[in-house]
Amino acid sequence: MKASVFKFGVNLWPPLFFTGIKVTHLTPDYKETHVTLKLRWYNRNYVGTQYGGSLMSMTDPWYMLMIMHNLGRDYFVWDKHAEIDYIAPGKTHVHAQFLLTDEILNDIRAKTANGEKYVPEFIVDIKDNNGQLVARVKRRVYIKLKPRARAD
């Protein structure tokens, strides 16, 4: 699917749209995504800062989706695990960037070539409008070559 069409559609997806999460940049090759979470009255926590659940949600599907679009249909790709470390209150809109390199993709292909699962970890920094670190999220993605796609 063309990245611009995907970006438009995913920005209307209710779990993102209704929490104020928006993809602001997606490269045509699905290797880089930028996401913003706007601070609004409906997504603030009790003390008026970014709600922690929304911070986690803004990092949820991106590596899985980016990997799926780059590896194709021959692979199982699932989000497996995530953990968040809250560093500072999010008092402004917050932003996160996701990057897949050719090196990462080649590593995934090599580690799954014999049908073994691979669970790489990705670190995502969430920063405020001033560049201050608000949270750091570790995300693990389960990846496995489908049996019919193996060259055994």
Side-chain angles (χ1 to χ4, degrees), residues 39-54 89-90:
L39 182 61
R40 299 286 191 228
W41 66 268
Y42 54 83
N43 65 6
R44 294 175 192 236
N45 62 22
Y46 188 74
V47 294
T49 61
Q50 290 283 5
Y51 174 65
S54 295

Side-chain angles (χ1 to χ4, degrees), residues 6-91:
F6 179 82
K7 178 183 161 190
F8 177 79
V10 80
N11 279 332
L12 294 176
W13 188 39
L16 301 181
F17 182 80
F18 289 113
T19 55
I21 298 168
K22 184 175 185 177
V23 176
T24 57
H25 177 74
L26 175 62
T27 56
D29 61 4
Y30 286 86
K31 289 184 181 175
E32 186 172 356
T33 305
H34 299 187
V35 177
T36 295
L37 170 60
K38 294 184 176 184
L39 182 61
R40 299 286 191 228
W41 66 268
Y42 54 83
N43 65 6
R44 294 175 192 236
N45 62 22
Y46 188 74
V47 294
T49 61
Q50 290 283 5
Y51 174 65
S54 295
L55 292 171
M56 182 63 103
S57 290
M58 77 181 288
T59 70
D60 188 1
W62 309 115
Y63 276 113
M64 182 188 79
L65 293 171
M66 293 163 64
I67 291 167
M68 287 173 72
H69 279 275
N70 276 276
L71 294 181
R73 296 179 182 255
D74 290 339
Y75 291 82
F76 295 111
V77 183
W78 294 97
D79 277 315
K80 179 162 178 62
H81 177 85
E83 63 184 74
I84 190 167
D85 185 13
Y86 299 103
I87 309 294
K91 297 178 181 178

